[in-house]
Amino acid sequence: MSDYTPDRWTVIRIHANTGIVYKVFASWSGGGLMGSDSWQVNSGIVRATLADTHWEFDGSSGSVYRCHREAYGTNGYGGHVLSNLISQAQDQGIQIEVMDGQTDWAQLQYDTLAQWVQGGVKDV
């Protein structure tokens, strides 16, 4: 199990022919002369919990993303990558939507992902 604390983050909703799944799109700023920006998408949210200053998203792989509430959104690099992912997904008939940052993540239903994991669906 891994823990991540991204510099910037969004939640994306992925609509595919097999259902809907929510994922954290996380990005980090490299900083320094040799640092480079990076990004990753979690395995899929199975639970969200509000803590004092951040949201904790449990992923289907067992990872935990600790996302500061004030850091919702993307940096320049992350925004470019996410825009490309959305475009590529559309070409395959998959819709990716960036969720509103004011969403109460704990109230969303993440049941579809649990069904996908149990059924072995791997197309998103």
Side-chain angles (χ1 to χ4, degrees):
M1 171 167 45
S2 299
D3 290 0
Y4 302 98
T5 304
D7 295 332
R8 304 286 293 174
W9 63 281
T10 61
V11 172
I12 55 176
R13 177 171 37 202
I14 302 170
H15 302 261
N17 60 357
T18 52
I20 296 174
V21 65
Y22 297 90
K23 295 187 176 199
V24 175
F25 178 88
S27 57
W28 290 264
S29 298
L33 293 175
M34 301 305 286
S36 60
D37 294 348
S38 61
W39 65 275
Q40 66 185 44
V41 177
N42 85 324
S43 55
I45 301 168
V46 295
R47 182 178 45 232
T49 307
L50 180 61
D52 289 336
T53 60
H54 62 277
W55 282 96
E56 290 188 5
F57 295 99
D58 297 333
S60 63
S61 68
S63 64
V64 177
Y65 283 71
R66 289 183 176 81
C67 301
H68 292 280
R69 291 191 283 178
E70 312 83 40
Y72 194 81
T74 61
N75 59 21
Y77 173 73
H80 179 72
V81 169
L82 183 54
S83 178
N84 284 340
L85 287 175
I86 290 169
S87 178
Q88 291 173 9
Q90 283 178 328
D91 292 344
Q92 297 177 25
I94 299 170
Q95 179 185 0
I96 298 177
E97 173 186 354
V98 178
M99 300 288 294
D100 186 317
Q102 300 302 311
T103 302
D104 183 351
W105 309 113
Q107 297 302 314
L108 294 179
Q109 298 295 317
Y110 301 109
D111 297 338
T112 303
L113 178 63
Q115 294 170 7
W116 284 16
V117 170
Q118 291 172 2
V121 175
K122 299 175 183 167
D123 67 343
V124 176

